[in-house]
Amino acid sequence: MDITVIGAGPRGLITAERLIEWQRKTSQNPLLTITMVDPFGIGGRVWPVDQPHELLMNTNPDFITLFTDETVKMAGPVAPGPNLFEWAHHEAPAFLFSHPVANRAALLAEAAALVHNGYASRSLFGAYQQWFFLTLQDHLPDNVTLTLRTETVNSLRHLEQTDRYLIKTTTSHFQADAVIMALGHSENDLTPEQTGLLNFADEHNLQYTPPTQPQEYRFDDLAAGETIILRGLGLNFFDATTMLTQGRGGYFTSEDDHLVYHPSGIEPHIIAGSRRGYPLRAKGHNQKAARELDSPHFFTPTWFAQYQAVGSLTGTKFMEQFHHEAEYVYYKRLLALKYPQVDAGEFLHAFETSPQPEGVVYRSPIIESDYLNWTQLLNPTATPASTTPQPLLDYLQADVKAALAGTKTGPLTSALELFRDLRDVVRRIVDGQLLRTEDFRNVFLGQFNNENSYLSVGPPEQRIAELRALMVAGIVTVVGPNMRVDSDTTTNQFVTWSPLAPTERYFTDHLVEARLPAVSASHSCDPLTQSLLRSGLARPQQLAMEDGSTFQTGAVDVDMVTNQLVTTTGQSATGLYFLGVPTEGRHWFTTASPRPGVNDSVLRTVDATVAHLFTHTPEAD
């Protein structure tokens, strides 16, 4: 059997490993030929080893793996191996020393110094993936081959005569019995606003960067002291800022309870902002073991028993339950920290069982300023404008302090950790389509995803501390909320400002959309995705609203169990499977890398896909 895996990032590599282990277990195929295809090589576009070494992951290395373990509920065989932290301290030195790896000296030093609750570079995770691939090749069964083609797949079509698939790349074509696609983010068609900005840049010799991968930003033409606008205060913003500061020779030292930035003198002046006007919250200092999760107290089996039918859950009820989960952990930590006189067991039992948990809090000795206030948490932009940076500096300092309080002792940090600990609970709701379609669109894809992104997927706390230091040093200026960006025909430059300080405007020749492209099957520029849509082998996921209208989630439609592509006729495409980021909307939070010891969803999903392939092919009959 010939199987092609398109995409050589984490999901593609896990797919190759699962194929090998299923073949080792079953000996089903006289010969299994696995061909991986990715123009960027092993690690894919996001994890090249030669990217700037100062770019960090935002997950602890103990929580990153490519191997299955005994907790994964799957049909395939378990084939354990080291997580990223374990690999760094055992296998990495020999691998890095004996292979022509970019950034070798820096990676060797990093691997030796990596600590349990620190953060690895993205380069190091890329090296781990390269080692993983070579390890697979070195331990193949006799009847399995595994090769890599560094090409871009442009199209794929079904050959009816042979019931195989013809795959065309930029340089060649070949056939396969089955294809598993494990793709990441791709650029989209430009919006009208982006088209206007790009045309303005071309007309006036400016630099405009639409949404794309941050490690691919090109700042070579940006001179020392020039101004650059970064629109967005998320992870791409922090990567860009790091490359423009530490990447240009600047460094930080610790003084008292804060960092101080020491410029190299060749940094630009960074003007940044977003709609909210505040950056993503810092990741909390991890105190949990890799396998340790807080258990739900509201999303219980009894609760789920009430919501079995499709569309049986309202968005309001879902958000209420999720907030109660976070509040339970928050008050548990708060009582231990500040209210030893309160019987925590009695309080938490009352909170968990009351039809109105808020009333339990109101009747307790907890003072109002200690309440978990969601409105205040999600909307910190009460008054600060760019002319008064001190409130933002204070906020950043407080955010670092809260993050350092830890995920098992800090009340707020522990509460926000629930967004990660309960991901599988949320996936159960999404995969079961329990939410009403209107609520799925408006509440889940809107409110909940916004909260999750802002509160739980931010950068390491050191990046927040660094941002504060860069603001104090005058390297970074954050404009106020509701950032505006436009083209100025008087100066023939880009201009940005906040409505809270409309006269304080910044002009520049350089504008970067500091965010990833949105997931949108219909607007994706990926040639393979567009080929599949044109041919009818795939379709965008579309939901029917109660008023008769339809709504596209942005996802490529797949079968929820097997991950087979759903064709325009509504049938599952035999032998075609689609995993990962382009299914976001059909699945949820597809950007996460696998975590060991927690029955990880990525590992389960890939094994289920391979299991279906092995049990629904001619060789298996």
Side-chain angles (χ1 to χ4, degrees), residues 287-288 293-298 321-337 344 347-348 351-352 372 374 406-419 421-422:
Q287 297 171 315
K288 293 181 177 179
L293 300 172
D294 275 308
S295 300
H297 291 82
F298 292 84
Q321 290 294 97
F322 196 95
H323 283 173
H324 287 336
E325 292 284 9
E327 290 158 6
Y328 181 96
V329 173
Y330 174 84
Y331 290 117
K332 180 179 180 179
R333 304 286 191 262
L334 180 70
L335 293 179
L337 185 68
F347 174 93
L348 293 171
F351 187 87
E352 183 178 357
L372 180 52
W374 289 99
T407 57
K408 290 178 69 173
T409 53
L412 182 57
T413 296
S414 298
L416 300 186
E417 185 74 1
L418 261 291
F419 280 88
D421 284 1
L422 297 186

Side-chain angles (χ1 to χ4, degrees), residues 117-136:
N117 292 318
Y119 291 92
S121 70
R122 287 159 51 170
S123 296
L124 191 68
F125 187 32
Y128 175 67
Q129 292 174 59
Q130 290 193 1
W131 167 84
F132 182 85
F133 177 75
L134 293 175
T135 299
L136 293 181

Side-chain angles (χ1 to χ4, degrees), residues 304 307-313 428-430 432-436:
F304 269 106
Y307 303 100
Q308 295 293 315
V310 170
S312 57
L313 176 63
R428 182 177 174 183
I429 292 169
V430 173
Q433 298 177 287
L434 302 185
L435 284 161
R436 294 173 59 250

Side-chain angles (χ1 to χ4, degrees), residues 9-11 14 43 46-49 51-66 82-88 107 110-111 114-129 213-215 234-236 238-239 242 246 280-286 420 423 456-464 466 589 591-596:
R11 276 182 178 77
I14 294 167
V46 177
W47 306 108
V49 179
Q51 67 184 292
H53 186 244
E54 61 268 16
L55 299 184
L56 298 179
M57 303 182 71
N58 69 334
T59 302
N60 300 122
D62 305 78
F63 288 15
I64 295 292
T65 190
L66 296 177
N83 62 38
L84 179 57
F85 177 84
E86 294 165 340
W87 173 81
L107 291 174
E110 178 192 354
L114 193 63
V115 297
H116 278 294
N117 292 318
Y119 291 92
S121 70
R122 287 159 51 170
S123 296
L124 191 68
F125 187 32
Y128 175 67
Q129 292 174 59
Q213 292 290 335
Q215 69 274 8
L235 297 178
N236 280 37
F238 284 100
D239 285 343
T242 299
Q246 294 177 71
L280 302 184
R281 290 198 70 100
K283 274 287 183 70
H285 173 68
N286 179 59
R420 180 163 65 173
R423 282 176 184 170
S456 78
V457 296
E461 85 283 337
Q462 72 187 70
R463 291 292 191 237
I464 299 295
E466 290 167 359
F589 210 76
T591 55
S593 293
R595 176 174 173 176

Side-chain angles (χ1 to χ4, degrees), residues 176-190:
D177 297 299
V179 182
I180 303 177
M181 289 156 274
L183 308 183
H185 281 94
S186 67
E187 278 72 28
N188 294 327
D189 297 329
L190 297 182

